[in-house]
Amino acid sequence: MRNPMFKDQTGSGETMASGGSEAPKIVWSERVGRFETEDREAYLEYELRDGGRVMDILHTYVPRSKRGVGLASHLCVAAFAHAQSHSLSVIPTCSYVSDTFLPRNPSWNSILHQDLKSHI
């Protein structure tokens, strides 16, 4: 079951977040383990662990020219919403996710991998 935030674009496992006119479109590139902006310049990398039940968010990257407009947060929301809709727990290995995104968005703590919940 797909999250209503995403709509199927290609039938090939890639989906796109659809939001308001101000929200960037985020593409889920399943085959490479990324959520990306349409131009693929900003991205969030993840790996599935524990038989595909845990999403380990490894790295978030936004080029210098696009920083300060909330792209990293949009990428995180897309990844966390995807994890939630697919009943995955999340390991926030990426320092942006653990140090910035989660403190600003504590409602996502509920889907953190069980071993991490006591540390956040």
Side-chain angles (χ1 to χ4, degrees):
M1 176 170 147
R2 296 211 187 258
N3 185 309
M5 179 178 161
F6 296 98
K7 59 184 180 179
D8 189 4
Q9 294 295 311
T10 64
S12 65
E14 291 188 9
T15 56
M16 202 173 283
S18 58
S21 59
E22 295 179 26
K25 291 184 179 175
I26 304 297
V27 179
W28 173 41
S29 296
E30 182 178 15
R31 70 185 178 287
V32 294
R34 282 185 172 191
F35 288 87
E36 310 170 319
T37 53
E38 267 188 307
D39 61 10
R40 299 181 181 208
E41 290 184 19
Y43 57 86
L44 177 149
E45 292 179 325
Y46 70 91
E47 284 184 7
L48 293 179
R49 303 194 184 285
D50 196 19
R53 295 185 303 248
V54 177
M55 175 188 283
D56 187 352
I57 299 177
L58 304 171
H59 183 65
T60 305
Y61 174 76
V62 176
R64 192 174 307 274
S65 63
K66 295 186 178 196
R67 291 182 186 162
V69 296
L71 285 178
S73 180
H74 284 288
L75 290 164
C76 289
V77 168
F80 274 80
H82 174 85
Q84 185 175 49
S85 70
H86 289 81
S87 300
L88 305 176
S89 60
V90 174
I91 298 173
T93 298
C94 171
S95 62
Y96 170 79
V97 177
S98 62
D99 299 345
T100 303
F101 179 76
L102 286 171
R104 292 178 182 171
N105 301 276
S107 63
W108 290 113
N109 288 346
S110 63
I111 64 169
L112 291 179
H113 191 59
Q114 195 61 36
D115 294 339
L116 299 173
K117 289 181 184 177
S118 62
H119 295 97
I120 299 291

